[in-house]
Amino acid sequence: MSNTNNATAFWVTHPGRGELRQETLPAAGEGDVLVRTLYSGISRGTESLVFNARVPESEFARMRAPFQAGDFPAPVKYGYANVGYVLQGPPELLNQRVFCLYPHQDHYVVPESAVLPIPDALPSERAVLAANMETAINGVWDAEPMLGERISVIGAGVVGALVAYLCAQIPGVDVQLVDINPDREALAETLRVPFHLPEEANAEQDCVIHASGHADGLRQALSLVGNEGRIIEMSWFGEGEVSVPLGGAFHSQRLTLRASQVGQLPTRLQPRWDYQRRLRLALNLLVDNRLDALISGESDFISMPDLAPRLFSSGSTELCHRLRYSH
């Protein structure tokens, strides 16, 4: 049996470099749970900004993950897609699989309120997508798709693909998933969402949701949306600056450009929703075998220091990469 007084965690130590560090765990008190990690998921978009020290100083506080240790730019322990097994805690959680917004670490202690049981029908391997699904849910809420609308999602990464997947299940909605990588068509087919390369995409859209993380994608969003249409910006550019043409159709067609960010619930939902309710919804929505297509690779946790530079490089085409933990 592993020594649960100690833990191993992945830390970003310098821009573009990380290492595994040993930590001493606090004792689990009343109201706490001790969790043994089974899998964690790597959110390539946000975590690549953290790994490469591209978080703007103005966002250091807002970008903190719930159980982050250290401070930006480094050293920092970051991550928020952890699936584990409760070794110690209240009877209703003991020996249960749970999801927690915790970094990449093999054991940890958190308040019991910080974990949610995983539905029986959801495999642990797929549950690492819960944080991405939360982001997608928030994006759909912000986009407010209506029956019969024409909607484009630009960027077939994990979040973009999940947004398109959710929108496609609204009756009468005509969705197209747009990406520069033709290999993403296979993913779209699995999710039963029509796919187009940028030059083939249909225009006159009611709503365009941008999730590519590139300025070219945002520029295309402006060209695809119709009169009085709305653009929902889900990409986060870190320290990057974006140049977009706001002098033409943006004004004459009275377009709307609005940000969506998972850290805050839409105002209209706040009287009834909280973050736990949203996360519970995300876990339940993952009970679909098609979503396994969003996991593009799996590696041992101990390989993370060597894996990270490749995974977080600008040329990486990974979707969600899953880390498995051996004990």
Side-chain angles (χ1 to χ4, degrees):
M1 181 177 292
S2 56
N3 181 358
T4 54
N5 293 321
N6 298 308
T8 304
F10 177 73
W11 284 72
V12 177
T13 55
H14 299 86
R17 287 162 46 198
E19 67 182 24
L20 298 180
R21 291 184 173 181
Q22 301 300 308
E23 304 184 12
T24 300
L25 290 180
E30 186 176 354
D32 290 337
V33 289
L34 168 63
V35 180
R36 182 186 74 209
T37 302
L38 301 172
Y39 299 97
S40 64
I42 297 172
S43 182
R44 207 189 77 80
T46 302
E47 289 194 57
S48 66
L49 295 175
V50 173
F51 185 73
N52 293 299
R54 292 180 53 212
V55 177
E57 189 171 349
S58 64
E59 301 305 302
F60 280 4
R62 282 187 287 262
M63 269 290 294
R64 288 193 69 86
F67 294 100
Q68 173 181 327
D71 298 301
F72 300 121
V76 63
K77 180 174 71 175
Y78 194 85
Y80 44 78
N82 192 296
V83 173
Y85 181 83
V86 177
L87 297 176
Q88 183 180 331
E92 64 272 17
L93 289 174
L94 191 62
N95 302 324
Q96 296 294 309
R97 297 177 306 135
V98 293
F99 181 86
C100 184
L101 297 166
Y102 205 86
H104 309 291
Q105 183 166 314
D106 62 357
H107 294 86
Y108 55 93
V109 174
V110 293
E112 61 180 280
S113 59
V115 302
L116 273 181
I118 293 171
D120 290 342
L122 176 59
S124 301
E125 293 87 345
R126 193 188 311 142
V128 297
L129 294 168
N132 298 121
M133 179 63 90
E134 265 201 292
T135 302
I137 289 168
N138 228 67
V140 174
W141 281 342
D142 287 329
E144 299 182 279
M146 295 187 293
L147 292 169
E149 283 199 310
R150 294 189 295 267
I151 295 177
S152 291
V153 180
I154 297 177
V158 176
V159 170
L162 284 171
V163 169
Y165 163 84
L166 293 175
C167 288
Q169 297 181 64
I170 301 170
V173 169
D174 180 13
V175 180
Q176 62 177 357
L177 182 57
V178 182
D179 199 277
I180 60 174
N181 183 355
D183 293 339
R184 290 286 191 256
E185 184 170 8
L187 171 64
E189 287 179 357
T190 300
L191 300 180
R192 299 173 198 162
V193 176
F195 176 84
H196 294 286
L197 294 170
E199 60 271 19
E200 303 167 348
N202 298 315
E204 293 300 312
Q205 302 292 289
D206 298 296
C207 177
V208 178
I209 303 166
H210 178 234
S212 80
H214 297 281
D216 287 345
L218 181 54
R219 283 191 282 269
Q220 186 183 28
L222 289 165
S223 71
L224 292 184
V225 73
N227 191 53
E228 300 256 1
R230 59 199 188 279
I231 300 158
I232 308 300
E233 177 55 88
M234 294 191 68
S235 299
W236 193 63
F237 295 94
E239 291 184 325
E241 294 187 2
V242 178
S243 174
V244 291
L246 298 182
F250 182 76
H251 282 282
S252 63
Q253 295 192 47
R254 293 170 51 89
L255 305 181
T256 299
L257 175 61
R258 181 180 178 185
S260 176
Q261 210 282 330
V262 70
Q264 188 167 317
L265 293 163
T267 303
R268 69 187 185 283
L269 299 183
Q270 289 179 20
R272 298 171 307 283
W273 286 79
D274 57 22
Y275 295 112
Q276 270 213 340
R277 184 180 176 187
R278 185 181 64 187
L279 181 54
R280 192 174 293 111
L281 172 62
L283 288 165
N284 287 325
L285 288 174
L286 288 172
V287 182
D288 184 339
N289 293 341
R290 290 179 290 167
L291 298 176
D292 287 335
L294 293 168
I295 308 291
S296 58
E298 182 178 284
S299 302
D300 289 323
F301 166 59
I302 59 172
S303 70
M304 187 61 174
D306 295 326
L307 171 69
R310 175 183 65 80
L311 192 65
F312 298 133
S313 69
S314 59
S316 174
T317 59
E318 287 262 13
L319 291 166
C320 177
H321 196 94
R322 185 171 59 216
L323 298 176
R324 59 178 174 264
Y325 293 69
S326 58
H327 299 276

